[in-house]
Amino acid sequence: MRSMRIRAGRHQGYGSDGRPDAETGRTGDPAARRSAGRLRGWGGVAAMAAACALTAAAVLLPLAQAAPDTVRPGAIRPPATMALAPAVPADTCQDPEAGLRPSGVDGPTVERIRKAGKLVAGVDQNSFKWGYRKPDGHLDGFDIALVKAIAKDILGDENAVIYRAIPTSQRIPALKENRVDIVVRAMTINCKRLEDVAFSTAYFEAGQQVLAPKGSPITGYDTSLNGRRICTATGSTAEAALKSQPYGAVPVSVANQLDCLVRLQLGEVDGIITDNALAAGQAAQDPSVQLVGSPFTREFYGVAMNKDASDLVRRVNKVLEDYRAGGNDSPWMQAYRTHLAAVLPNITAPPAPKYRDG
C-alpha cells in the first residue's frame, strides 16, 4: 500500500470467476473521503475496507469469490451476561427465529436459480471475519462460507455465485425487488423484518453492544451516552434500539455499518452501537477501540429471502440442517474455527433450530 489516503472513485465488480462484471459510479460521503487519509491505527487492509464502505452506499456491486483467511487477531470475549439479555425492541411476535420446516424438494424459486446457473447472494464486503475483501480482492468470511454451502447444495458448485455487496439499508429492498436471491449478511431475524422478507432458521446468536475508544467516558448502553454522538447503520436493529431508548444520545445514521467505525476514527462520532459479533472483528482490527458494557439484546442471524420464496426458505433450512450436523466436526464448527474463533472464542455449537408449520 503506497498511501493511506482514501480516494473515492469507480469500483470494478467481478463474478465468481474473478472477471470484470460491472462498474459503479462515484458515491459516498465527500467529507469522509476528503479526510479519510487521517485514519489512525489502521493497516492497509482496513484502509481498503474503509474505502469500500464509504463508496458502497445505495449501490449493488458484484464481487469476487472468496479465498482462505490468514489473519489471526487478538480475541475479544463476549460478556457472560449475554444469555440473559432481552430480545430486540422490534420483536412483538413469538419466536421470530422459528422457520419453515426443511425440504429438499425443488420449487419454482430453486428451479429458477438452477436454470440461471448462478445463485445471486447479497453480502457485506467490509465486515472483518464475516464478509470482507482480502488484499487480493477476493471475499472471505463466515457468511461467505455459508453462501458457498447453499450454492453447492442447489447448483453442485460452491463457486456458482454472483456476490452483490449491499449496504445495510438496502438488504430488504434488494430482496423485495428480486435483485438478489438471498442475503447472508449478519442480518438479525425480527418481527418487523418478517413483514417484508422471509428468513431461514438461525445460524448465529449475537447481541447489540457499544463500541467506543479506549479511555472514553462511555461505559455501555446507559446514561453515559447522554450528549454523545452515537452511530448506527440505517435499517439496523441498533438504530431501532437507539430510537427506542436513546439515553440522551445524538444519533448519527449511515448506510453501512463500517462507515461508523470510519467516523469514529475521524472523531466525527463518539461511539457505535452494533452487533457484538461484528464489533469484535472491528476491535481486533483497531486496538484503539473496545466493546464496553454488556450486550443489551439477544438476537439471531438468519439467511433472508423474498417473502414469496417459501421453497427456497425450506431448501436453505435443509442446507443449515446439514451444515450444523456432525458435532465438533460439522461444517458450521469448521467455519467457526476458521473465521471467528480468534475474535469470538468459546462458542461450542450453533444455535439449535426452531421450526413452525405453515
Side-chain angles (χ1 to χ4, degrees):
M1 184 70 64
R2 288 185 298 239
S3 171
M4 284 289 289
R5 179 167 291 279
I6 297 172
R7 186 172 58 137
R10 285 157 61 89
H11 286 259
Q12 186 76 26
Y14 299 87
S16 63
D17 59 1
R19 293 178 295 180
D21 186 72
E23 288 190 345
T24 63
R26 188 179 180 90
T27 61
D29 185 335
R33 288 199 303 265
R34 287 194 299 270
S35 57
R38 295 182 280 118
L39 290 177
R40 308 183 305 276
W42 283 50
V45 176
M48 287 301 295
C52 292
L54 289 171
T55 58
V59 297
L60 297 177
L61 306 176
L63 300 175
Q65 67 180 12
D69 175 48
T70 58
V71 183
R72 300 290 293 175
I76 304 294
R77 294 179 179 272
T81 57
M82 181 176 164
L84 302 177
V88 293
D91 280 352
T92 56
C93 58
Q94 186 175 4
D95 290 334
E97 68 273 14
L100 295 174
R101 296 191 180 278
S103 173
V105 175
D106 291 353
T109 309
V110 174
E111 289 177 354
R112 176 182 56 75
I113 293 169
R114 283 190 167 168
K115 184 176 180 180
K118 297 282 187 180
L119 176 71
V120 183
V123 297
D124 200 346
Q125 64 174 349
N126 303 313
S127 291
F128 189 51
K129 294 298 185 179
W130 289 89
Y132 67 103
R133 278 189 186 270
K134 300 191 71 179
D136 61 7
H138 290 78
L139 279 174
D140 201 12
F142 188 80
D143 281 345
I144 305 304
L146 179 53
V147 171
K148 288 186 170 187
I150 295 169
K152 176 71 173 177
D153 182 84
I154 294 175
L155 296 167
D157 180 1
E158 67 174 21
N159 294 317
V161 182
I162 296 174
Y163 293 100
R164 297 196 185 277
I166 53 176
T168 306
S169 60
Q170 288 296 303
R171 293 176 298 186
I172 289 176
L175 286 167
K176 294 178 74 173
E177 296 164 13
N178 293 309
R179 288 180 273 162
V180 296
D181 299 316
I182 60 174
V183 169
V184 186
R185 197 185 180 285
M187 187 171 179
T188 300
I189 307 167
N190 64 37
C191 300
K192 178 63 177 176
R193 290 173 178 165
L194 284 169
E195 295 175 5
D196 296 308
V197 298
F199 279 99
S200 70
T201 53
Y203 69 86
F204 199 85
E205 182 177 345
Q208 296 294 314
Q209 199 168 351
V210 178
L211 188 71
K214 290 180 178 177
S216 167
I218 296 174
T219 57
Y221 186 62
D222 53 35
T223 55
S224 66
L225 300 181
N226 186 37
R228 308 290 177 183
R229 299 162 298 174
I230 302 301
C231 190
T232 61
T234 301
S236 67
T237 49
E239 182 185 50
L242 193 62
K243 286 181 178 178
S244 175
Q245 176 54 274
Y247 286 111
V250 179
V252 177
S253 295
V254 296
N256 268 309
Q257 197 277 327
L258 188 63
D259 290 352
C260 284
L261 186 57
V262 174
R263 289 176 183 269
L264 186 65
Q265 291 272 348
L266 297 173
E268 295 176 359
V269 298
D270 303 304
I272 301 168
I273 299 177
T274 187
D275 301 359
N276 64 343
L278 299 177
Q282 293 174 357
Q285 282 179 293
D286 181 359
S288 71
V289 300
Q290 64 182 354
L291 287 163
V292 294
S294 297
F296 58 90
T297 67
R298 185 184 185 190
E299 52 198 73
F300 297 88
Y301 296 163
V303 178
M305 289 154 278
N306 187 281
K307 199 171 178 68
D308 296 327
S310 59
D311 63 313
L312 182 58
V313 175
R314 293 181 185 276
R315 185 59 170 264
V316 170
N317 283 344
K318 177 184 176 296
V319 174
L320 285 171
E321 285 278 280
D322 297 337
Y323 204 62
R324 299 183 192 99
N328 197 49
D329 294 323
S330 69
W332 192 97
M333 286 301 299
Q334 292 176 36
Y336 164 74
R337 285 192 292 268
T338 299
H339 300 290
L340 298 179
V343 296
L344 287 168
N346 304 323
I347 295 176
T348 58
K354 293 182 179 181
Y355 294 111
R356 59 180 173 82
D357 295 313

